[in-house]
Amino acid sequence: DGGITQSPKYLFRKEGQNVTLSCEQNLNHDAMYWYRQDPGQGLRLIYYSQIVNDFQKGDIAEGYSVSREKKESFPLTVTSAQKNPTAFYLCASKLDNTDTQYFGPGTRLTVL
Amino acid sequence: SQQGEEDPQALSIQEGENATMNCSYKTSINNLQWYRQNSGRGLVHLILIRSNEREKHSGRLRVTLDTSKKSSSLLITASRAADTASYFCATDGLAGSYQLTFGKGTKLSVIP
């Protein structure tokens, strides 16, 4: 099956800890994205990557970090500097020169 | 910054009725997309309309775009209980389609 996978589905973190959310795609898509969604809100862009070894900050990058060492993988680290990390995190990807983004199932992060 | 704003925030209708959702945006665009999100899941692309198009159909979906008013509408005809979900509009910018900006969404409930 082709698609985008995110793991874990649910993640609990203690205050002060860094956590890494996984995003993998086997669609051979070039661009990958991380969004944050809070209750009743739309999606806000955290980071995106157009090609391997390159990424750009989105609207709310503070307290987050990413890497793009492989085309199919774009992990997101939520650092202790992120003051309010409890949210639903969505990963997406798309093919170059197309407009539609394809989304993973999401990871719900809760800070205890 | 949030480019698109959906209206209404919530909509409740009976099965078989039509559902209309609206989206307004602020800056010029190349295209506008509509996505659907079931509760706690990722987004699924529904339809894309380009700035030089005024109307587009896909199955029970009808999308209109009025670039002079910077607004779009999504009509779902003959709604079904399975259409219950949140619906988001997303716009790109003239600078390119790598980034999408999402509205806060319309939560649609279809009562059987």
Side-chain angles (χ1 to χ4, degrees), chain A:
Chain A
D1 282 339
I4 304 176
T5 57
Q6 291 186 241
S7 61
K9 187 171 182 178
Y10 299 97
L11 187 56
F12 298 90
R13 189 194 92 173
K14 293 181 181 179
E15 282 193 29
Q17 286 183 336
N18 293 354
V19 288
T20 298
L21 283 60
S22 169
C23 178
E24 304 275 334
Q25 54 97 2
N26 61 4
L27 301 167
N28 201 31
H29 283 178
D30 306 284
M32 296 186 74
Y33 304 81
W34 274 106
Y35 295 92
R36 170 181 171 140
Q37 186 178 31
D38 293 283
Q41 300 292 314
L43 279 64
R44 291 185 290 168
L45 182 64
I46 304 172
Y47 269 98
Y48 68 101
S49 168
Q50 297 177 17
I51 56 173
V52 173
N53 293 323
D54 187 51
F55 47 82
Q56 285 79 42
K57 293 181 179 180
D59 298 321
I60 56 166
E62 186 175 349
Y64 300 96
S65 66
V66 292
S67 63
R68 187 88 187 274
E69 296 176 3
K70 298 185 296 182
K71 187 175 185 178
E72 55 270 22
S73 178
F74 191 41
L76 173 75
T77 296
V78 184
T79 74
S80 56
Q82 170 50 235
K83 297 305 177 190
N84 186 20
T86 295
F88 190 51
Y89 291 87
L90 286 159
C91 179
S93 69
K94 82 173 186 74
L95 203 55
D96 244 6
N97 299 319
T98 65
D99 300 299
T100 298
Q101 293 187 16
Y102 294 83
F103 284 81
T107 291
R108 189 166 297 281
L109 173 63
T110 303
V111 174
L112 303 174

Side-chain angles (χ1 to χ4, degrees), chain B residues 3-4 23 25-33 49-52 65-67 70-72 90-96 101:
Chain B
Q3 162 85 303
C23 168
Y25 57 93
K26 296 175 183 173
T27 62
S28 296
I29 60 173
N30 289 311
N31 62 65
L32 183 145
Q33 302 180 54
I49 186 165
R50 302 205 179 277
S51 59
N52 61 354
L65 180 63
D66 186 335
T67 53
K70 292 186 169 59
S71 67
S72 173
T91 52
D92 69 347
L94 288 181
T101 304

